[in-house]
Amino acid sequence: MQPSIRDTFFEECEELLEAMVEGLGIIDEGSYDSETVNAVFRAVHSIKGGAGAFGLTDLVSFAHTFETVFDEVRSERLAVTPELVAVLFRAGDQLATLVEAARDETEVEAGPRDSVVKELKRYLDEPAEPEGGAAGGNGTEPPGGFQPMTLDFSALALPAAEPVAPMRSFEIRFQPDRAMMANGHEPMLLLRALSELGTLEVSAQSDELPAFDELDPDECYLKWSMQLETDSDRAAVEKIFEFVEGLCTLEITEAEGAAPPAEAPAMAPPPVAASPAAPAGAPAPAPAESAPAAPPPPPRSRVGDDEAKGGKGSSGGANARATLRVELDRVDRLINTVGELIINQAMLSQRIAELELPKGADVEVELEDYKLLAREIQEGVMAIRAQPVKPLFQRMARIVREACAATGKSARLVTVGEHTEVDKTVIERLSDPLTHMIRNSIDHGLEKPDKRREVGKEEEGEVRLSASQRSGSIFIEITDDGAGLNRPKILEIATSKGLVPPNAELSDSEIDNLIFMPGFSTATEVSNLSGRGVGMDVVRTAIQALGGRVSIASETGKGTTLTIILPLTLAVMDGMVISVQGQTMVVPIASVLETIRPTDKDIHKVGSGEMVLSIRGSYVPIIDVASSLGMHGQSNPITKSVLILVETEQRGQCAMALDAIHDQRQVVIKSLDRSFGDIPGISAATILGDGKIALILDPDGVVQIGGSRADAGAPILQAMEFFDE
Amino acid sequence: MTKVLAIDDSRTIRNLLRMSLENAGFEYHCAEDGRLGVDAFPDVRPDVVITDINMPNLDGYGVIEELRRGPNATKVPIIVLTTESSDELKARARAAGATGWIVKPFDDASLISVLKRLTGHAA
């Protein structure tokens, strides 16, 4: 089997599973109609159909049981109860597991699968099969009702070669009914197929043929008597009449030989017309000649990739082109090119600025248009990669169910803003951290049902997952209505692990954010859910790798909210162009809270040369970017500097001191990883309008180095020297 | 070339059909649901139709009904492609006007041989 077709199958399975989960969700809410039920049925059915084609017997078998139960729901023989819905959800989860296993060619755990099969079968009249039956998976016995029809055409194709089959002789009498013609059969073709079995002698009886003016073109007036000499057996002969059985008068008699003179199979009612005959079985009529198509209706369903690849395989005309599947590579190449276009546009702008043309020169007006168009193209291209978070959110419903089952808690998942679109890569890489955070919310956040009842909450907890797009960023929030963070305990753990000095005075928010520290894990015993050796620090690292931030807010007794803030795209960002000791650099706008030109009285010295900025009644540390990065040139006095207030993970708000802010512009992110590896303080590089390379600062890293050794910036210097060449 | 119009909502099945049919020298056309299939019929003017039963918008029985009795009524062979092979299904499909049926999962050889038998297509 071609891998590409197999890949398509699993891609399609993903979509079908999404449709299934969505349908089940609607059924669960109770606001469903028959089309909802049909859609779920079709999804499971299509998975089964495809799985059959690839010989995935385990998957076929399970999907079949699932589908059978669902068919009962569909035909309203089975009432929808909360218990049934729960079973259907579990079956859906199991189906997803089986699809994954089939895709990855791994084994599924038999235990959970068999128990779901058992639960499903309780809704069917058939008794639960002994283990190894439907769920056995060795494929020896397909489940009832799904017996692939194996057609053996070898007898047809091969001339009798080695063991010479005995020649047989059949007498066949055949008269088509009107219905046979109406159903698109062509007697001529049947006779031709018969003749391919051996030597066929045919005589047609045309005595029922009417006069021409009485001839009904939809009727077959002819009947045939045939003598077939063949080495094929009776089954092969009957096979030819397979589809017309019941639509004709047919007698097959085997003359002499060992076989008993068999009775005719499936005799139809007597011939219809007894009038004279005419040949009616003219070649199958072509579809109506003129028949101009009615105005094409709007596309109803998406067009699959199978049409995308070839021009001739068109179906419903141009109107059916609602979507187009494109290789990701092509899109990424396009994105890369657009990145270059943005750079080129910046360079052109710079060149034109250097010409110092009179204000309002034509070329400047046109340059503005160019900028606008470039930006539009860029946004358009980015939109191609954008996908709704819905499928991701839907998968989380399964995580919630599994986590509840493992912890004995009860929770429902509420999703908001699932149509928010996010870059495809971001969605893919968000799955793991989100899974972990949801598990955490249930494992650590929500109380057990009895506890919840005690404090006057609903026994069923709520985990709310929301997505929204605000001011150029994507916000994803995970909110639980649990007990909130246990701050004394967090502080105690952090202190005992040496993450914070004893007696440190931390604000609530600082305590809350301790859970993101590496090496912090609140689970006193390692639960099989959250405590897989990874803590929230891994979540934070994953989010940061996407150029995002994560923070937490919690209210005792009321719940906890985790907020992920992500950039809209990974390839381009809005940056603030700054300079530090003559080096041009870029700070991501997303991390800038405000810019400040401080006066003397705003700056205070504390301890050994550390400076703090007094701002609106509180103090934030000042980090000198130049010294953080290990530049040893002449530093400006802080009062001559510009400060950028940033929010950091480690130290909360900090003010980064630098020499000047030049500009705010879109920059194309170019990774440094391949050439320089991970450089603390630097996240990537970009090419500015003058063709120079500028490093993009990572404020978190800068602040962190600023708080430690002064020579930690050495690798950065190397990188800068490299680009200065 | 013998033209086939395949109507199936499963991309996987469509892809499999495309592969089998094109290998056997058929001209392949497809539609993603019953309604689109019926709409495509007059444009494609196929020599044979293969249709799934469980589909959104218009199911396979509906497809057959419309192709046999609708404004573009046709007598081209219509083959039902189905995972079930119950007599009930066959009877219903035939009552609607189906010519034959193929059970999924199908193997290339039987698919092609059925198509040849019903269309006289020579590879």
Side-chain angles (χ1 to χ4, degrees):
Chain A
M1 201 58 71
Q2 273 184 14
S4 62
I5 293 191
R6 195 175 183 275
D7 293 348
T8 318
F9 167 63
F10 287 111
E11 254 175 60
E12 186 177 21
C13 277
E14 291 282 307
E15 289 162 24
L16 293 167
L17 287 171
E18 279 162 28
M20 174 194 77
V21 169
E22 185 174 4
L24 286 177
I26 297 172
I27 292 172
D28 188 26
E29 286 163 15
S31 57
Y32 62 98
D33 57 14
S34 65
E35 186 40 43
T36 315
V37 178
N38 275 330
V40 175
F41 177 83
R42 273 198 307 271
V44 179
H45 185 78
S46 289
I47 291 176
K48 182 178 95 170
F54 296 99
L56 305 169
T57 45
D58 253 18
L59 188 52
V60 169
S61 161
F62 184 84
H64 178 74
T65 310
F66 190 2
E67 174 197 84
T68 311
V69 172
F70 222 85
D71 197 29
E72 296 290 302
V73 176
R74 190 165 72 142
S75 56
E76 297 181 352
R77 287 190 293 264
L78 190 57
V80 176
T81 60
E83 294 74 38
L84 174 63
V85 172
V87 171
L88 292 173
F89 266 120
R90 278 197 289 281
D93 294 346
Q94 184 62 43
L95 188 64
T97 307
L98 282 161
V99 167
E100 281 163 24
R103 184 191 57 209
D104 305 340
E105 294 176 356
T106 56
E107 294 288 313
V108 293
E109 280 178 65
R113 177 195 58 197
D114 293 350
S115 77
V116 177
V117 169
K118 211 178 278 177
E119 282 184 276
L120 285 171
K121 290 201 167 167
R122 274 198 290 123
Y123 290 94
L124 302 172
D125 289 337
E126 40 180 310
E129 278 175 39
E131 308 311 306
N138 55 5
T140 48
E141 198 179 311
F146 190 66
Q147 178 79 60
M149 184 173 68
T150 327
L151 303 176
D152 182 12
F153 282 80
S154 52
L156 265 162
L158 299 169
E162 300 88 41
V164 180
M167 290 303 280
R168 296 155 187 251
S169 176
F170 294 95
E171 283 266 342
I172 303 163
R173 299 209 297 151
F174 171 52
Q175 177 171 24
D177 288 358
R178 189 187 173 94
M180 184 181 133
M181 313 299 286
N183 275 17
H185 288 282
E186 168 55 61
M188 265 276 298
L189 294 172
L190 287 172
L191 302 193
R192 187 189 293 174
L194 271 179
S195 74
E196 283 168 9
L197 290 185
T199 321
L200 186 71
E201 263 177 57
V202 187
S203 62
Q205 289 162 272
S206 57
D207 46 341
E208 290 173 7
L209 198 66
F212 188 72
D213 56 349
E214 289 171 34
L215 193 130
D216 174 357
D218 286 340
E219 189 65 70
C220 180
Y221 299 97
L222 290 179
K223 52 187 171 189
W224 290 271
S225 299
M226 290 164 282
Q227 185 89 33
L228 175 67
E229 303 288 333
T230 175
D231 50 7
S232 307
D233 60 1
R234 187 183 182 91
V237 178
E238 284 174 358
K239 181 94 240 167
I240 293 187
F241 294 98
E242 177 190 9
F243 298 140
V244 296
E245 191 186 308
L247 298 174
C248 62
T249 311
L250 179 68
E251 274 176 51
I252 302 174
T253 327
E254 188 166 351
E256 68 224 34
E263 67 281 16
M267 287 299 294
V272 195
S275 45
E289 286 295 322
S290 49
R300 286 177 186 77
S301 73
R302 35 190 309 178
V303 176
D305 60 344
D306 42 1
E307 294 82 25
K309 72 172 198 182
K312 67 173 175 173
S314 76
S315 57
N319 61 319
R321 301 291 177 274
T323 63
L324 178 66
R325 283 176 179 259
V326 182
E327 274 173 62
L328 200 53
D329 266 2
R330 291 193 194 191
V331 177
D332 287 345
R333 279 204 299 276
L334 188 58
I335 285 182
N336 221 344
T337 313
V338 170
E340 302 295 334
L341 177 73
I342 301 281
I343 291 170
N344 172 266
Q345 170 248 296
M347 286 183 176
L348 199 57
S349 302
Q350 182 124 355
R351 294 277 172 276
I352 290 174
E354 280 164 14
L355 294 178
E356 292 177 5
L357 295 169
K359 260 244 174 298
D362 284 353
V363 67
E364 283 195 359
V365 177
E366 272 143 28
L367 183 68
E368 274 310 305
D369 284 351
Y370 176 41
K371 271 188 198 167
L372 211 66
L373 290 171
R375 183 121 195 175
E376 261 174 44
I377 292 177
Q378 189 220 332
E379 277 166 11
V381 171
M382 291 305 165
I384 298 179
R385 277 187 61 95
Q387 294 185 323
V389 294
K390 190 173 177 178
L392 176 68
F393 278 17
Q394 279 183 349
R395 279 208 295 283
M396 294 305 133
R398 177 176 161 195
I399 305 299
V400 169
R401 287 195 295 276
E402 286 173 356
C404 285
T407 55
K409 292 174 184 176
S410 168
R412 65 178 175 272
L413 180 74
V414 177
T415 57
V416 180
E418 39 188 26
H419 296 293
T420 306
E421 295 196 331
V422 184
D423 184 272
K424 181 180 162 63
T425 307
V426 175
I427 290 196
E428 281 161 6
R429 285 160 60 184
L430 214 46
S431 179
D432 283 349
L434 213 51
T435 301
H436 193 79
M437 288 159 95
I438 295 256
R439 282 191 181 134
N440 245 309
S441 291
I442 290 170
D443 200 9
H444 301 309
L446 292 183
E447 313 92 329
K448 292 227 151 99
D450 46 351
K451 180 79 193 294
R452 288 179 66 88
R453 202 173 36 227
E454 263 174 45
V455 297
K457 289 182 183 174
E458 246 187 285
E459 281 185 26
E460 187 183 51
E462 182 180 289
V463 176
R464 174 182 289 264
L465 190 53
S466 80
S468 58
Q469 185 186 327
R470 276 177 266 159
S471 54
S473 297
I474 302 289
F475 285 69
I476 294 176
E477 290 181 344
I478 300 124
T479 307
D480 67 62
D481 65 348
L485 291 180
N486 184 343
R487 292 192 182 108
K489 195 171 159 199
I490 290 174
L491 197 54
E492 184 195 313
I493 291 170
T495 313
S496 74
K497 295 196 173 179
L499 300 173
V500 287
N503 307 322
E505 284 196 24
L506 300 177
S507 68
D508 280 357
S509 145
E510 282 169 330
I511 296 175
D512 292 351
N513 281 290
L514 286 174
I515 67 163
F516 293 113
M517 298 272 286
F520 184 93
S521 173
T522 51
T524 36
E525 78 249 42
V526 175
S527 83
N528 63 349
L529 263 188
S530 318
R532 283 185 178 157
V534 291
M536 293 297 275
D537 63 313
V538 176
V539 167
R540 193 181 61 172
T541 310
I543 302 295
Q544 280 175 339
L546 291 171
R549 291 180 280 149
V550 58
S551 63
I552 190 164
S554 177
E555 200 174 334
T556 307
K558 291 214 173 138
T560 305
T561 299
L562 286 154
T563 307
I564 300 173
I565 305 171
L566 293 163
L568 275 177
T569 155
L570 299 181
V572 176
M573 66 164 195
D574 285 310
M576 191 176 268
V577 182
I578 57 153
S579 65
V580 181
Q581 290 196 1
Q583 283 284 336
T584 307
M585 298 189 157
V586 175
V587 180
I589 293 278
S591 35
V592 177
L593 299 176
E594 68 182 280
T595 58
I596 300 153
R597 198 171 273 286
T599 58
D600 275 340
K601 61 178 170 42
D602 298 331
I603 312 277
H604 303 271
K605 263 206 170 103
V606 272
S608 56
E610 249 191 78
M611 312 270 235
V612 294
L613 170 74
S614 147
I615 177 169
R616 290 182 287 271
S618 67
Y619 294 97
V620 299
I622 296 176
I623 308 290
D624 182 39
V625 176
S627 64
S628 267
L629 299 183
M631 299 172 169
H632 301 298
Q634 188 67 48
S635 264
N636 272 332
I638 295 293
T639 45
K640 290 267 173 64
S641 301
V642 181
L643 298 181
I644 294 183
L645 198 61
V646 294
E647 175 81 44
T648 67
E649 306 296 342
Q650 307 281 328
R651 299 181 64 178
Q653 289 192 355
C654 289
M656 297 198 320
L658 35 95
D659 296 343
I661 295 171
H662 298 292
D663 195 2
Q664 201 168 304
R665 69 169 73 152
Q666 238 189 354
V667 297
V668 179
I669 302 170
K670 297 280 177 188
S671 170
L672 288 176
D673 285 3
R674 210 177 293 165
S675 318
F676 293 96
D678 194 16
I679 306 173
I682 301 294
S683 60
T686 189
I687 304 169
L688 295 175
D690 56 8
K692 279 219 177 113
I693 290 169
L695 297 174
I696 300 175
L697 290 181
D698 161 26
D700 263 314
V702 171
V703 166
Q704 209 174 340
I705 305 168
S708 59
R709 312 181 317 274
D711 61 347
I716 304 170
L717 289 180
Q718 283 172 14
M720 286 188 300
E721 279 159 21
F722 181 85
F723 290 127
D724 274 346
E725 292 310 303
Chain B
M1 221 178 356
T2 310
K3 269 196 250 182
V4 182
L5 173 61
I7 310 173
D8 198 308
D9 59 335
S10 160
R11 199 157 66 231
T12 305
I13 297 294
R14 289 200 305 274
N15 278 342
L16 288 166
L17 284 172
R18 171 192 281 275
M19 195 175 68
S20 304
L21 296 176
E22 290 188 341
N23 281 344
F26 287 91
E27 186 180 323
Y28 172 85
H29 298 260
C30 67
E32 303 73 39
D33 68 40
R35 174 55 54 206
L36 291 170
V38 170
D39 291 346
F41 186 88
D43 297 331
V44 176
R45 297 171 57 183
D47 302 301
V48 56
V49 175
I50 300 178
T51 181
D52 185 22
I53 288 292
N54 280 298
M55 287 184 290
N57 293 325
L58 182 67
D59 69 8
Y61 303 119
V63 168
I64 305 170
E65 288 274 349
E66 290 206 18
L67 291 184
R68 290 286 184 233
R69 288 179 262 287
N72 294 307
T74 175
K75 285 196 180 141
V76 303
I78 304 175
I79 300 169
V80 169
L81 187 60
T82 163
T83 44
E84 269 175 81
S85 58
S86 69
D87 289 346
E88 187 196 337
L89 178 140
K90 289 178 190 168
R92 225 185 127 185
R94 173 179 275 178
T99 313
W101 45 85
I102 293 169
V103 178
K104 284 187 269 192
F106 54 87
D107 62 276
D108 277 12
S110 49
L111 169 75
I112 301 304
S113 104
V114 165
L115 282 172
K116 282 182 181 168
R117 198 166 83 221
L118 294 179
T119 63
H121 169 87

